[in-house]
Amino acid sequence: MSEKIYTREEVQGIADSIRRQILGIALKTGGCYLAQACSSAEIIAALYTRILNLGPSAGLWDAIPFPGVPGPDNMDYPRGSAYHGIPAPDKDRFFVSCCHYASVIYCALAATGRLSPGALEKFNVDGWNMEMIGAEHSPGFENTAGSLGQTVSIAAGTAQARKWKGDTGLVYCLMGDGELQEGQTWECVQTASYYKLDNFIMVIDANGQQVEGAIRDQTLLEPLEARFASFGAACVVCDGHDIEAVAQACGTRHPGQPLAVICRTKGYTGIPPLKKRWPYLHFIRISETERPKYQKIYDEMGENAGEDGKEYA
Amino acid sequence: MPVKMERNTHEKNMLRFASEHPEVLVLSADLGSSCEVKKFRAVYPERYLTMGIAEQNMCSWAAGLAREGYRPFIHTFSVFLYRRILDQLEMSVAYPNLPVVFVGFVPGITTPGGVTHQSNNDVGVLRTVPNMAIFDVGDATEIEGVLDLAYAYNGPVFIRMLRKEVPRLFPAGEPMQFNRARVLRQGSDVLILSSSICTEEALRATAVLERHGVSVQHMHVSTLKPFTDPAILKALKKCKYGVITMENHYVTGGLGSAVAEVLAENGIGKRLIRIGLPGYTHGASKMYLMKKYGIDAMSLIRGVEELTGSSLKIAEEELEKENFVDFLEV
């Protein structure tokens, strides 16, 4: 695990600070992927503190101007993966497929000392690397994940390569449940199971929502656990807002199989007024009439966080 | 023109190539035995990844392997490597500029499998993909050289590969060169730029054209992207009547379009006749399709007549003397 030992309260504090900071961004800019922060805050906080075995960040402390698209003449640009440490055989790798969660990842990096808290001021600012939807150069991103369903395959290919090399580190891939509707996801799971990639762990923020509303009103996705199992993966389900439960689920033994950890979550956890908007929570815009209500929640979150509360708005 | 036919050149070359580069892997979506890597699977079972009939995952998975230092060579039909998985090709591989090689078999109409199997616009689509190089081989010598060029390229590569019976048109000791056209005949009246299986077909016409008094400059093009060979620019400036492109590809987007761009950008006011496929095609034998859709030697003769404004009175029989092997199997 990471060098610092985090108490449960500290991990929850990181989750709370993620929610508060994203709410702060939403208040400042008029909108953000707030529900994704609400659903995934505990999962991502647990990953960076309790689950992932990462080396110290090798990324730049501050935000930087966009370093250009990759190409034959630009392959040495600062990589987002550097924030997860220098790759080493015994260290884990962390792929973020649900890249609409970029702001959540940036906040988690800042809360765990991997990125300057001040870097968040460059979030979604023209010309900077802290983009709204992350790519290779964005802090915390191994790859360009904006087209859903591809990152899980890239992560699985990485896991296979690492298995051949004899690496003991694991490969994690964080996904949303909406993207599980992509056929490529299941192509990947069947193949990862065929190759017995027991160093590969898919962590799913199953918040049951997507752009047009509740998943159950769009297509048939459930029962997810049985679906993963029938594609050959080990699968566990947990309460995605329970830090210990998420950590324990990710530690499930899965010899000879990839592991899918389905974290059941709600996109309004921690910010109650969002519940009224369910299931239309993909991108939360805060109108002027609603502003005082959300500002009050933001302020209260700061008081609860005490002196450690990270200021942003 | 006596032409030596070679068989399963890629099968042998892939084995040779893999023996020199231990990080090279072959990925297959159930068409490996149709893409001359069946023997590879027997010789290097641990380096042959069966990915199931699932090209999207295969492409992104290859990106993961490439990120870890392996060199994946994806084998399937060309059409399934660009039309079916363009987003995976672009976002998983081309954007991060990863060294994944797409070995695309049965390009254009070199399959009787019909429209679903024919990659008539792969070059047109992939010329718009940044970072990617495109090679279009024309004979056995080029098959023997193209993997080394792909390996040396800094980024993703798409190869329009030929299989089974393929002529050896070029000396085995003169391998394909990156971004350099091969001069097959020097002349001054008309420039012919041909690629893929059309070069063999053009060779049947150029000797006859010379006999009929037309001075032909014939160059074979095997690097379609990048397309910056200074020798092509020089030849375009030199030709008296104009240029004819001839390709196993839709008339839009491929070699002909690339030449049009060079002509226009350099202000060369020469005529251009693009010989290529008129659109989607149907399933039949190669020779039948080449004649039906006008990418055969006689179509080239007609093009030269149009450029020079003179009737050459060349009969089909005069062209039929040359060797021609068909691709009968799917």
Side-chain angles (χ1 to χ4, degrees), chain B residues 109 197-198 201 246-249 275-278 289-297 299-300:
Chain B
I109 50 78
I197 55 169
C198 289
E201 193 64 9
M246 188 176 180
E247 57 191 312
N248 170 30
H249 186 274
I275 294 176
L277 301 169
L289 293 174
M290 289 183 86
K291 285 184 188 298
K292 177 180 172 73
Y293 292 111
I295 59 168
D296 60 334
S299 298
L300 181 56

Side-chain angles (χ1 to χ4, degrees), chain B residues 45-280:
Chain B
E46 75 289 357
R47 291 164 67 181
Y48 185 91
L49 303 189
T50 58
M51 302 305 290
I53 306 170
E55 292 84 2
Q56 299 179 81
N57 177 58
M58 175 166 67
C59 181
S60 301
W61 191 289
L65 295 168
R67 284 170 183 273
E68 290 300 300
Y70 289 95
R71 299 295 293 265
F73 283 65
I74 300 179
H75 283 63
T76 187
F77 293 166
S78 174
V79 73
F80 303 132
L81 289 173
Y82 81 102
R83 197 158 69 199
R84 194 175 184 98
I85 60 164
L86 184 62
D87 192 39
Q88 282 76 11
L89 178 149
E90 292 215 39
M91 289 301 98
S92 290
V93 174
Y95 174 77
N97 195 45
L98 295 173
V100 173
V101 179
F102 298 83
V103 191
F105 281 78
V106 294
I109 50 78
T110 60
T111 166
V115 66
T116 55
H117 285 51
Q118 293 161 337
S119 63
N120 291 3
N121 62 345
D122 50 356
V123 178
V125 169
L126 295 173
R127 278 213 309 133
T128 67
V129 175
N131 292 339
M132 175 165 262
I134 306 171
F135 299 136
D136 196 0
V137 301
D139 88 325
T141 296
E142 294 198 330
I143 294 173
E144 286 164 354
V146 72
L147 298 181
D148 298 290
L149 292 188
Y151 187 83
Y153 184 71
N154 178 8
V157 175
F158 192 92
I159 300 172
R160 298 182 100 216
M161 183 59 86
L162 299 176
R163 66 175 188 175
K164 296 182 179 169
E165 295 281 335
V166 174
R168 187 177 295 280
L169 304 175
F170 317 128
E174 295 177 20
M176 177 177 163
Q177 289 185 45
F178 178 73
N179 199 19
R180 289 289 177 270
R182 202 183 281 268
V183 179
L184 303 178
R185 186 178 288 272
Q186 297 270 14
S188 55
D189 288 339
V190 174
L191 171 63
I192 296 169
L193 295 169
S194 63
S195 59
S196 184
I197 55 169
C198 289
T199 292
E200 181 189 9
E201 193 64 9
L203 284 167
R204 297 168 61 185
T206 51
V208 178
L209 285 166
E210 286 281 353
R211 283 205 293 275
H212 285 257
V214 183
S215 173
V216 171
Q217 170 98 9
H218 182 197
M219 299 167 81
H220 167 73
V221 182
S222 49
T223 303
L224 294 172
K225 186 170 177 287
F227 195 75
T228 54
D229 180 359
I232 289 180
L233 178 59
K234 201 174 158 194
L236 288 169
K237 287 176 176 168
K238 191 182 77 171
C239 60
K240 185 175 167 191
Y241 293 104
V243 54
I244 301 174
T245 55
M246 188 176 180
E247 57 191 312
N248 170 30
H249 186 274
Y250 185 34
V251 74
T252 298
L255 174 64
S257 294
V259 169
E261 290 164 14
V262 175
L263 284 169
E265 284 192 329
N266 290 279
I268 301 169
K270 300 279 173 63
R271 276 204 66 194
L272 164 66
I273 292 178
R274 293 177 299 163
I275 294 176
L277 301 169
Y280 293 123

Side-chain angles (χ1 to χ4, degrees), chain A residues 294-305:
Chain A
Y294 284 98
Q295 184 68 49
K296 187 163 174 285
I297 292 170
Y298 178 80
D299 294 339
E300 285 169 1
M301 286 171 140
E303 288 164 20
N304 293 339

Side-chain angles (χ1 to χ4, degrees), chain A residues 4 8-9 15 51 71 77-78 90 106 125 128 135 148 154 166 180-181 215 221 225 236 263 274 301 303 305 310:
Chain A
K4 177 175 160 57
R8 180 179 181 148
E9 288 68 33
I51 300 165
Y77 58 91
D90 63 322
Y106 303 152
V125 173
W128 290 80
L148 299 179
I154 296 170
L180 301 184
Q181 294 154 41
I215 288 178
L221 188 64
E225 188 180 8
V236 287
C263 305
L274 289 177
M301 286 171 140
E303 288 164 20
K310 304 283 191 303

